[in-house]
Amino acid sequence: MSTRNAALFNTTVNWDELPVTQVRAGVRRRVYATDEVMICHHELEVGMALNPHQHEDFDQLVHIAEGRANYYVDGVAHDMRAGSFLLVPRGSEHYVEPTEAPCVNIDFFVPPRADLLP
């Protein structure tokens, strides 16, 4: 365990205690990261600006925890509701379009995204 941050083990963390970042209009993000995984909690508003993008160096596991959304991967819409998961392969263009609020999208990244680390 020498390369892992021992302070992270046996520590309870609650989303509502983590700092919120306003990413853009209609998108708020909270981030929790360990040395090996990052979890991003997004609160999304219906009608928010869409943001098609891709990642070349990691896959992205998407979970809709509340609400409903169309999640687009390489132009294909996936109807997602609370409880749905979707694995987005690296290099695929993707974006989320909330269709029912409140919409909470939780993303898992392994390894953690360097651009979102503090």
Side-chain angles (χ1 to χ4, degrees), residues 13-27:
V13 177
N14 292 298
W15 285 122
D16 60 356
E17 296 171 355
L18 296 175
V20 177
T21 301
Q22 185 77 38
V23 177
R24 61 184 180 279
V27 181

Side-chain angles (χ1 to χ4, degrees), residues 38 40 58-63 71 84-89 105-110:
M38 173 179 282
C40 297
F58 50 82
D59 300 325
Q60 177 175 338
L61 180 60
V62 175
H63 171 60
Y71 207 99
S84 296
F85 284 87
L86 177 67
L87 183 59
V88 179
N105 166 203
I106 300 176
D107 293 323
F108 299 83
F109 299 101
V110 178

Side-chain angles (χ1 to χ4, degrees), residues 79-102:
D79 180 27
M80 298 183 70
R81 58 183 169 75
S84 296
F85 284 87
L86 177 67
L87 183 59
V88 179
R90 64 191 72 209
S92 294
E93 183 181 77
H94 60 282
Y95 62 96
V96 62
E97 178 185 33
T99 58
E100 182 183 295

